[in-house]
């Protein structure tokens, strides 16, 4: 007499399959759960644009003793944007290398630099300046 084929799946086999499927989905779920740096990049871009505009105003009006009121107001508005971007970027965590580099680029705009674009050793900002340059891959002065 032949025995009928056992078509039932054991509980152990079924559980192993469920765990295997769940385990293979974890990396995909984790990748989807990692936030991007879109907001941080937007904040940094706004700050860098304000910094560029401030530098342009400084170039154009730097030798003028009495700036016209509209230029002074424009400079104040740009400084507010830049200062706000420092605060906003500081409260956002970078999740990618691009986010870290953007944050470093913005941090450099907050530092008082020497004429040659450096911070002197011994300054309280020297380590932060050096770290920013490392993140940005800047090796030359």
């Amino acid at each position: 007499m032949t025995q009928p084929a056992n078509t039932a799946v054991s509980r152990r086999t079924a559980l192993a399959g469920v765990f295997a499927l769940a385990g293979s989905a974890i990396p995909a779920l984790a990748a989807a759960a990692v936030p991007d740096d879109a907001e941080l990049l937007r904040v940094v871009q706004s700050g860098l644009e304000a910094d560029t505009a401030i530098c342009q105003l400084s170039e154009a009006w730097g030798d003028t003793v009495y700036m016209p009121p509209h230029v002074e107001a424009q400079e104040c508005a740009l400084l507010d944007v830049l200062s706000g971007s420092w605060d906003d970027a500081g409260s956002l965590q970078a999740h990618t290398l691009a986010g870290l580099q953007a944050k470093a680029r913005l941090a450099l705009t907050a530092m008082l630099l020497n004429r040659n674009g450096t911070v002197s050793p011994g300054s309280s900002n020297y380590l932060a300046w050096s770290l920013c340059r490392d993140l940005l891959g800047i090796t030359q002065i």
Side-chain angles (χ1 to χ4, degrees):
M1 185 189 298
T2 42
Q3 299 235 341
N6 185 1
T7 57
V9 176
S10 75
R11 194 177 313 169
R12 180 179 294 169
T13 303
L15 283 174
V18 168
F19 289 138
L21 283 175
S24 67
I26 288 173
L29 291 173
V34 174
D36 65 13
D37 287 330
E39 177 64 10
L40 175 59
L41 295 175
R42 186 196 65 74
V43 165
V44 167
Q45 183 62 35
S46 175
L48 293 175
E49 288 172 0
D51 184 63
T52 298
I54 291 166
C55 290
Q56 289 170 345
L57 279 178
S58 180
E59 282 286 319
W61 296 94
D63 294 333
T64 305
V65 176
Y66 298 107
M67 284 194 301
H70 73 281
V71 174
E72 221 172 291
Q74 184 181 8
E75 183 180 48
C76 285
L78 289 166
L79 286 168
D80 285 346
V81 170
L82 180 57
S83 176
S85 70
W86 292 334
D87 293 343
D88 293 345
S91 67
L92 295 169
Q93 181 178 357
H95 299 281
T96 64
L97 178 59
L100 287 168
Q101 289 173 325
K103 211 171 189 180
R105 197 168 287 112
L106 185 62
L108 287 173
T109 68
M111 295 180 198
L112 295 175
L113 303 177
N114 297 330
R115 291 181 193 257
N116 63 357
T118 65
V119 172
S120 299
S123 165
S124 62
N125 283 328
Y126 183 71
L127 183 59
W129 171 82
S130 176
L131 177 61
C132 289
R133 290 174 49 87
D134 290 349
L135 280 168
L136 297 171
I138 299 172
T139 57
Q140 300 296 319
I141 294 176

